[in-house]
Amino acid sequence: MGKKKRQLQIKQIISQCQIESQQQLLDKLIEAGIEATQATISRDIRELKIVKTHDTNGKIKYGVLPEKKIEPIDHLKEVFKDYVTQVTHVQVMNVINTTLGTANIVAADLDELAIPEIVGTLAGTDTIVLISRSEEDAKRLNEKFLSYLE
């Protein structure tokens, strides 16, 4: 089985089924006649930009980040408007509050942009902590992110 075919099958499974773990995904692949290892599935999940999200009942499941056809910074601005509720500057950090289950989506977009003022990103269910090298970097980021919410 080729990589492209396996990854296409993974995307189909995740879009059609409530998959909560890599083991469940592996089981579904086996049902579909596709043999893979846990390490292979982990790489596929990263490459396909699959993240854990919450469904409408608050249950955790895997989801595929949508394909981006616009500039990454423009996409980030849209994501901020759709999911971010508040951005707070605290010393060398920024705390970003999001709607329930969307923090990892916003964090993935931030990480993809490799913003130089961000040295670390931590994401929970509805909160992201961005760590900067200096208070000045954090303040600049805060001002930029607040402008995305306008």
Side-chain angles (χ1 to χ4, degrees), residues 49-60:
K49 295 187 171 120
I50 294 172
V51 295
K52 286 191 175 185
T53 63
H54 287 77
D55 65 12
T56 54
N57 298 322
K59 203 169 184 183
I60 293 174

Side-chain angles (χ1 to χ4, degrees), residues 90-125:
V90 182
Q91 295 178 343
V92 297
M93 296 180 284
N94 275 285
V95 178
I96 300 174
N97 299 102
T98 69
T99 55
L100 183 64
T102 61
N104 52 358
I105 294 169
V106 178
D109 281 349
L110 288 165
D111 286 347
E112 185 176 308
L113 285 172
I115 299 169
E117 294 92 348
I118 300 173
V119 295
T121 307
L122 300 170
T125 303

Side-chain angles (χ1 to χ4, degrees), residues 28-65:
K28 289 287 187 185
L29 285 171
I30 290 168
E31 285 176 25
I34 298 170
E35 294 290 327
T37 65
Q38 187 82 26
T40 300
I41 296 304
S42 275
R43 278 191 301 276
D44 288 338
I45 286 172
R46 251 189 333 272
E47 288 176 16
L48 293 170
K49 295 187 171 120
I50 294 172
V51 295
K52 286 191 175 185
T53 63
H54 287 77
D55 65 12
T56 54
N57 298 322
K59 203 169 184 183
I60 293 174
K61 68 174 193 157
Y62 281 112
V64 180
L65 289 175

